[in-house]
Amino acid sequence: MLNIYVIAIQLCRDCAPIIKLIATHDRNLADQLRRAVTSVALNLAESDGQAGGHRKQRRLTALGSAREVAACLEIGAALAYAEPVSGAVNGRLDHIIGTLVNLTRQ
């Protein structure tokens, strides 16, 4: 299993309270964030059991979901549903995105 998977699980934990907070204002945005953050971890787990092009596709899907998580968090902050995310959460998200960009270029 990729080390990045562990970071993706931590990102899920980080986002759980943010999702609950956003849901008090916008259930659709909260649901979108929940689906996106879980998609990152699930697609990373699925890529571990794949070979060749299927592995790359799962990682590309995880990358798209990670970018969607970033957008949902930014929108939640822009609409004043939640505070902007902390440096640690941004760091994890940047690490996931950077790693997936590198993995999908191989």
Side-chain angles (χ1 to χ4, degrees):
M1 184 72 54
L2 292 169
N3 289 337
I4 189 174
Y5 174 78
V6 175
I7 297 168
I9 294 298
Q10 183 57 48
L11 184 64
C12 288
R13 287 186 191 101
D14 293 337
C15 287
I18 300 168
I19 292 167
K20 287 179 184 178
L21 184 59
I22 290 173
T24 64
H25 302 281
D26 186 337
R27 294 193 62 73
N28 290 328
L29 181 60
D31 188 54
Q32 190 73 21
L33 175 55
R34 181 192 53 78
R35 286 184 286 117
V37 76
T38 57
S39 176
V40 175
L42 293 171
N43 277 288
L44 285 169
E46 191 173 350
S47 77
D48 195 44
Q50 302 288 315
H54 295 292
R55 175 177 287 169
K56 184 176 182 178
Q57 185 57 49
R58 294 292 71 77
R59 290 176 178 173
L60 283 169
T61 301
L63 175 59
S65 294
R67 289 180 171 150
E68 187 175 355
V69 169
C72 287
L73 293 171
E74 288 174 5
I75 291 167
L79 296 174
Y81 297 158
E83 294 294 319
V85 293
S86 70
V89 176
N90 278 332
R92 275 188 270 283
L93 194 51
D94 288 346
H95 180 73
I96 291 167
I97 291 170
T99 300
L100 286 169
V101 165
N102 288 333
L103 286 172
T104 57
R105 286 185 180 162
Q106 296 176 359

